[in-house]
Amino acid sequence: MTFEYAPALESRTIVTIKPKYGHFINGAFVSGKKHFPTINPTTEEILSHLSLGSASDIDKAVAAAQKAYTRTWSKLSGKERGKYLYRIARILQERAREFAVLETLDNGKPIRETRDIDIPLVAAHFFYHAGWADKLDYAGLGHSPQPYGVAGQIIPWNFPLLMLAWKVAPALATGNTVVLKPAETTSLTALLFAEVCQQAELPGGVVNIVTGDGSTGATLVNHPGVHKIAFTGSTEVGKKIARAIAATDKKATLELGGKGANIVFDDAPVDEAVEGIVNGIFFNQGHVCCAGSRLILQESIAEEIIEKLKVRMAKIRVGDPLDKNTDLGAINSREQLTKIQELAAIGDAEGAQRWSPQCNLSDKGYWFAPTIFTGVTQAHRIAQEEIFGPVLSVITFRTPQEGIDKANNTPFGLSAGIWSEKGSRTLWASQQLRAGVIWANTFNKFDPTSPFGGYKESGWGREGGKHGLAAYLKTGKESGGK
Ligand code: NAI
Ligand code: MG
């Protein structure tokens, strides 16, 4: 029996989007010279025009951050800094619905995810780090660890406000000031966050937000007034940043790409594993650096799992992300859609078998049906490259050791999932896997107390938890990275 769903659209009236935005520098919005449009990927409607940050805008923002650091922020006690962070966290909770709707409009991700995952985690990050601000002496990083000064932070479009929180909350808790560059397609929630900073009466210059593209980001990275870089995005840009700062004394954390293995052993709880596979790759349209984009199945149960997975995938609702029943929303941009289409076509050409459920996709906006490829070998590009979309590559193995070897056969090392009823097998497998985050009988679970980061080409350093604090403090034990 199939049920007809009534539309249950979240109202847009809670958000006010201005026709044009400036940068947020020294506590105030200042207009840029050039502007570019930001659109709603669900409808291709232009939502607003953003300022394209120039070298002079970055100069002003870094100068404001430097001044705020020396005159205000570094003079405050940890307890006082904590009060601001608590205030920001509470305002974010109060305005959660506004942020959730705006994020969904600008990014295309389902309201169920922005409302229940992104925004609650954003508030949790500020609360968690507010608690640390006056306890840094007890973080195991030595006596009185010192901030670097100005942190230059560059974030991607897949979790716009959450990545801002991952960057801004620890920086402020540890006493650094910030110049943040949001992604060009998803800056609106960062600009709303700037309003929250004003509402919280955060001293001017402690947080500065300059919108723009890759050139704006590169200018920020190269600015001599920036002492620490925090970047999340593609491995390609991560490498460029590493090269740019190699001959400087700038510190950096880099959170880059992934090709996470979701390994299902023959003793796994099958129905739970199927849910975990779906969550691993179709959460957030697969625009997730730690997505379980390679399904590594023990051969004896492969057929059963794939059959059940197809039945489950046919129930995924693809469509308007403001509809509370929607599971899979819009692809964030035309560029990203093209990249997914191209890699999927390469999968076809290399001889893997593509399957998607029947979906009615709108002509307007950017859409890609949930897709699996079976018959994938390790040599296939869809087994090696990050697709960053709702596309799963299925690989099989016979012995547990072969499963681990296949999981580790990647230039990345960000995440992995293990599905097994046996604790001893789970512990054994987790010790063999070269991945920064490993989930057992679950996937894509996040918490501010838990450090996150990768091995190999997935990046440098950790964010979150005590490890994440170390990345913003001078005498802190190095958490890896530069
Ligand atoms: P990207 O790495 O180009 O963009 C991320 C951020 O870096 C944006 O704010 C961008 O403006 C900035 N940026 C670009 N070039 C820069 C430079 N030279 N110096 C400093 N900042 C720079 O990612 P893009 O092009 O949006 O996506 C391409 C692919 O990257 C995706 O298909 C996906 O595979 C991967 N990606 C991975 C992410 C992750 O969370 N690990 C997030 C976003 C993309
Ligand atoms: Mg947008």
Side-chain angles (χ1 to χ4, degrees):
M1 188 163 69
T2 52
F3 293 96
E4 284 300 315
Y5 287 83
L9 298 190
E10 181 68 55
S11 167
R12 281 178 70 151
T13 54
I14 193 160
V15 300
T16 312
I17 303 177
K18 298 182 190 122
K20 218 181 211 186
Y21 284 89
H23 308 297
F24 182 64
I25 297 175
N26 207 19
F29 283 94
V30 289
S31 184
K33 285 212 174 72
K34 284 192 196 156
H35 288 80
F36 62 99
T38 189
I39 63 161
N40 177 349
T42 305
T43 57
E44 300 177 49
E45 159 205 8
I46 293 179
L47 292 171
S48 182
H49 289 85
L50 308 175
S51 294
L52 181 66
S54 64
S56 120
D57 296 324
I58 292 286
D59 259 346
K60 285 182 196 136
V62 173
Q66 187 70 57
K67 199 167 121 199
Y69 175 72
T70 45
R71 297 212 186 149
T72 324
W73 204 239
S74 64
K75 298 239 161 62
L76 289 184
S77 65
K79 194 172 162 198
E80 289 304 312
R81 289 199 309 273
K83 281 188 196 169
Y84 284 107
L85 288 169
Y86 278 121
R87 208 181 284 169
I88 290 171
R90 283 194 300 268
I91 297 170
L92 285 164
Q93 278 187 326
E94 282 163 17
R95 300 180 70 172
R97 219 174 116 220
E98 192 181 347
F99 272 103
V101 173
L102 185 62
E103 194 79 300
T104 288
L105 286 172
D106 201 16
N107 172 282
K109 62 169 77 190
I111 186 76
R112 233 170 21 132
E113 291 180 7
T114 52
R115 184 194 62 190
D116 298 346
I117 300 171
D118 293 60
I119 310 304
L121 275 174
V122 167
H125 265 82
F126 278 94
F127 278 119
Y128 173 74
H129 287 97
W132 268 120
D134 62 347
K135 302 176 194 70
L136 297 175
D137 276 351
Y138 312 102
L141 304 167
H143 177 67
S144 191
Q146 293 301 307
Y148 285 107
V150 178
Q153 309 186 317
I154 298 161
I155 55 172
W157 43 263
N158 53 340
F159 293 92
L161 192 68
L162 185 57
M163 289 302 103
L164 174 150
W166 279 33
K167 301 276 181 282
V168 173
L172 298 196
T174 49
N176 297 274
T177 58
V178 163
V179 178
L180 177 109
K181 211 282 301 164
E184 43 273 58
T185 58
T186 55
S187 299
L188 292 179
T189 48
L191 294 164
L192 187 59
F193 178 79
E195 288 179 26
V196 169
C197 293
Q198 288 178 324
Q199 197 182 338
E201 293 174 12
L202 188 72
V206 173
V207 169
N208 304 276
I209 297 174
V210 179
T211 53
D213 61 10
S215 70
T216 315
T219 309
L220 178 59
V221 167
N222 290 313
H223 198 288
V226 171
H227 307 108
K228 190 223 148 61
I229 309 287
F231 171 77
T232 298
S234 63
T235 294
E236 188 195 344
V237 172
K239 286 180 180 174
K240 280 190 198 162
I241 292 176
R243 266 182 237 119
I245 62 168
T248 71
D249 63 357
K250 290 177 190 177
K251 298 284 169 186
T253 37
L254 305 174
E255 298 288 346
L256 310 177
K259 192 76 186 174
N262 213 350
I263 311 168
V264 186
F265 289 105
D266 57 6
D267 62 344
V270 170
D271 292 332
E272 287 84 347
V274 168
E275 279 310 305
I277 294 162
V278 167
N279 177 36
I281 185 63
F282 301 123
F283 168 58
N284 200 34
Q285 294 72 247
H287 301 328
V288 184
C289 50
C290 55
S293 53
R294 287 180 303 150
L295 176 60
I296 314 234
L297 286 181
Q298 193 148 10
E299 216 172 76
S300 51
I301 51 158
E303 214 172 296
E304 181 190 2
I305 297 264
I306 290 168
E307 208 171 289
K308 289 200 166 178
L309 182 60
K310 287 180 177 174
V311 172
R312 177 65 181 80
M313 281 171 67
K315 297 198 164 34
I316 293 175
R317 287 174 53 85
V318 186
D320 184 352
L322 277 179
D323 183 333
K324 291 164 199 160
N325 298 310
T326 291
D327 301 309
L328 198 93
I331 300 302
N332 180 249
S333 65
R334 185 178 294 284
E335 292 74 32
Q336 190 57 29
L337 178 60
T338 305
K339 186 188 160 190
I340 298 167
Q341 287 166 338
E342 282 173 3
L343 274 164
I346 288 167
D348 296 330
E350 286 180 327
Q353 286 89 55
R354 187 202 290 229
W355 184 86
S356 293
Q358 182 60 39
C359 291
N360 291 326
L361 305 177
S362 166
D363 300 336
K364 274 264 169 239
Y366 314 129
W367 306 96
F368 199 90
T371 298
I372 54 172
F373 276 99
T374 50
V376 178
T377 75
Q378 297 182 83
H380 284 158
R381 280 180 63 188
I382 55 166
Q384 291 293 330
E385 292 177 33
E386 187 174 44
I387 301 176
F388 224 62
V391 182
L392 181 66
S393 300
V394 185
I395 296 167
T396 59
F397 66 94
R398 288 191 178 160
T399 65
Q401 187 60 52
E402 187 196 342
I404 299 294
D405 293 345
K406 286 187 169 172
N408 282 338
N409 182 15
T410 162
F412 299 110
L414 193 53
S415 71
I418 301 165
W419 296 84
S420 168
E421 292 276 28
K422 257 195 219 113
S424 57
R425 178 173 276 178
T426 302
L427 290 173
W428 169 82
S430 61
Q431 279 164 357
Q432 311 292 314
L433 288 167
R434 291 280 291 159
V437 183
I438 298 172
W439 289 289
N441 293 336
T442 187
F443 211 92
N444 276 337
K445 288 277 181 291
F446 306 99
D447 191 283
T449 64
S450 176
F452 185 94
Y455 287 102
K456 301 192 274 185
E457 295 203 4
S458 290
W460 289 348
R462 295 291 178 267
E463 288 186 319
K466 265 200 313 198
H467 301 68
L469 295 173
Y472 283 94
L473 291 165
K474 259 185 218 161
T475 58
K477 282 181 201 150
E478 288 302 323
S479 59
K482 182 175 177 292

